[in-house]
Amino acid sequence: MVEPDDKGSERLLILRLQTSDGPVTLVSAYTPTLPSTPEAKDEFYTNLSDILRNIPDNEHLVHLGDFNARVGADHDSWPSYLGYFDVGRINENGQRLLELCSFHGLCVTNPYFQTKLQHRVSWRHPRSKHWHQLDLVIVRRTNLKTVLLSRSYHSADCDNDHSLVCSKLRLHPKKFHRTKTAGNPRIDTTKMQCPDKVEEFAKSLVDALSADKQRNSASEKLDHLWETIQKTALHTFGMKTSKNCDWFEARSNVMMSIIDAKRAALVEYKRSPNEKSLQALRAARGKVQQTAKMC
């Protein structure tokens, strides 16, 4: 279930999901670039901090996007917010982002996974040709165990100078249980093998249809015909009362002999594959299917 959110801007988008693990809030960000003015950066991080503050602690938070920030690989300085496997050095935007993470109890998931070096970067500087990781996936520190992997995929065609960054999380869609309306009782079709019951059903149906002819429209006649057939069959053959969940075990005395015959026909066909043995195998298979449906 997706709940839209009216908050957001051209740099911040919010999406809420309902899962079996509880509510999940996705916050997508496009952070001002490094040459942006300090005022623009302050405004962005103030708005982002307000959004994060209003998300309840019991909600699973996934903060992702293009942060235009290099958080570096200094795990010793940020032990609770960075892993051991990042690249490069921290810059001003990375400092701001890590301060935000420390304030809200978040951690950057990308450096927590020992992937190949090319899977730790997502953007190459056009002049220096150095690769950096600017696209990050951030979660609460308490929910880090739900993240299975975060890495870059350079082969994905995103029509962008940034490579695709994906994160695998252990989240399950919420199951909605709907109450089913009670259906019609099931008729005991096994009694249809008895000729006396079939004759009784045919006579009772003719009598029931002859007794009531006050129907005008075709729709009323069709509804009456269906209801009469259902009631007559239920009265004649009775309701199916088998409560054994394992229907095969309950009907094993009938099914096993037919299955053995099918197996014998299959062995015979493999021993001498010809038209006669093939027809015998098809007939045996049809007998098994027909009997299974009747049971």
Side-chain angles (χ1 to χ4, degrees):
M1 178 179 180
V2 178
E3 297 180 2
D5 198 295
D6 55 357
K7 297 179 181 179
S9 64
E10 67 276 5
R11 291 191 176 275
L12 290 170
L13 294 177
I14 305 171
L15 181 67
R16 283 191 172 88
L17 307 176
Q18 294 292 337
T19 72
S20 57
D21 289 344
V24 178
T25 301
L26 305 179
V27 180
S28 177
Y30 177 58
T31 309
T33 57
L34 191 62
S36 300
T37 62
E39 292 78 12
K41 297 178 184 178
D42 291 340
E43 181 182 2
F44 171 81
Y45 278 100
T46 299
N47 295 336
L48 177 57
S49 184
D50 292 339
I51 291 175
L52 297 178
R53 189 181 300 108
N54 291 328
I55 298 175
D57 294 338
N58 60 345
E59 286 192 14
H60 194 111
L61 170 64
V62 181
H63 187 21
L64 69 166
D66 180 7
F67 290 91
N68 284 306
R70 289 183 287 169
V71 295
D74 191 0
H75 171 77
D76 295 335
S77 300
W78 307 90
S80 299
Y81 317 109
L82 283 180
Y84 291 95
F85 308 108
D86 211 332
V87 294
R89 294 178 297 178
I90 190 172
N91 63 3
E92 179 190 351
N93 281 2
Q95 180 74 25
R96 286 176 177 265
L97 181 60
L98 289 175
E99 290 176 356
L100 179 79
C101 292
S102 64
F103 184 78
H104 292 281
L106 308 175
C107 61
V108 183
T109 64
N110 304 62
Y112 281 89
F113 301 96
Q114 189 176 7
T115 58
K116 295 180 180 180
L117 185 60
Q118 63 266 30
H119 296 159
R120 305 180 194 177
V121 293
S122 64
W123 178 77
R124 186 172 63 174
H125 197 282
R127 292 190 299 274
S128 67
K129 306 302 181 182
H130 291 164
W131 282 91
H132 305 284
Q133 182 60 282
L134 305 183
D135 306 275
L136 307 172
V137 180
I138 300 173
V139 299
R140 298 189 195 275
R141 176 70 184 177
T142 54
N143 298 130
L144 183 60
K145 61 184 179 181
T146 64
V147 183
L148 305 180
L149 177 66
S150 292
R151 53 157 288 191
S152 301
Y153 293 85
H154 298 284
S155 59
D157 185 4
C158 300
D159 194 21
N160 198 313
D161 58 342
H162 289 248
S163 298
L164 177 67
V165 176
C166 293
S167 185
K168 296 181 181 180
L169 285 77
R170 190 184 291 110
L171 296 176
H172 306 283
K174 186 175 182 180
K175 296 181 180 179
F176 293 91
H177 300 280
R178 296 179 175 87
T179 304
K180 295 183 179 179
T181 57
N184 294 326
R186 299 181 62 185
I187 299 171
D188 188 1
T189 56
T190 58
K191 295 182 180 178
M192 292 182 181
Q193 302 295 327
C194 180
D196 295 338
K197 289 289 184 179
V198 174
E199 184 178 354
E200 180 184 352
F201 167 73
K203 184 177 183 303
S204 300
L205 181 60
V206 171
D207 295 340
L209 293 176
S210 302
D212 189 359
K213 298 182 179 180
Q214 303 300 321
R215 307 291 170 181
N216 297 322
S217 65
S219 177
E220 291 179 351
K221 292 180 180 179
L222 182 61
D223 293 340
H224 174 63
L225 176 62
W226 166 251
E227 183 179 357
T228 304
I229 293 175
Q230 176 74 15
K231 289 183 177 179
T232 306
L234 188 62
H235 180 267
T236 304
F237 301 112
M239 185 172 59
K240 192 173 184 179
T241 58
S242 177
K243 296 182 180 180
N244 193 331
C245 296
D246 192 346
W247 66 270
F248 185 84
E249 181 179 353
R251 301 291 189 270
S252 60
N253 56 338
V254 178
M255 292 294 300
M256 288 308 300
S257 59
I258 303 175
I259 293 176
D260 292 340
K262 187 199 73 169
R263 289 173 179 168
L266 178 60
V267 171
E268 181 63 24
Y269 173 72
K270 289 183 177 180
R271 183 181 294 114
S272 57
N274 52 52
E275 187 64 24
K276 182 179 179 180
S277 60
L278 178 61
Q279 293 298 332
L281 176 60
R282 289 176 177 175
R285 285 175 175 171
K287 183 65 175 179
V288 171
Q289 293 178 359
Q290 182 182 8
T291 306
K293 291 178 181 179
M294 295 299 295
C295 291

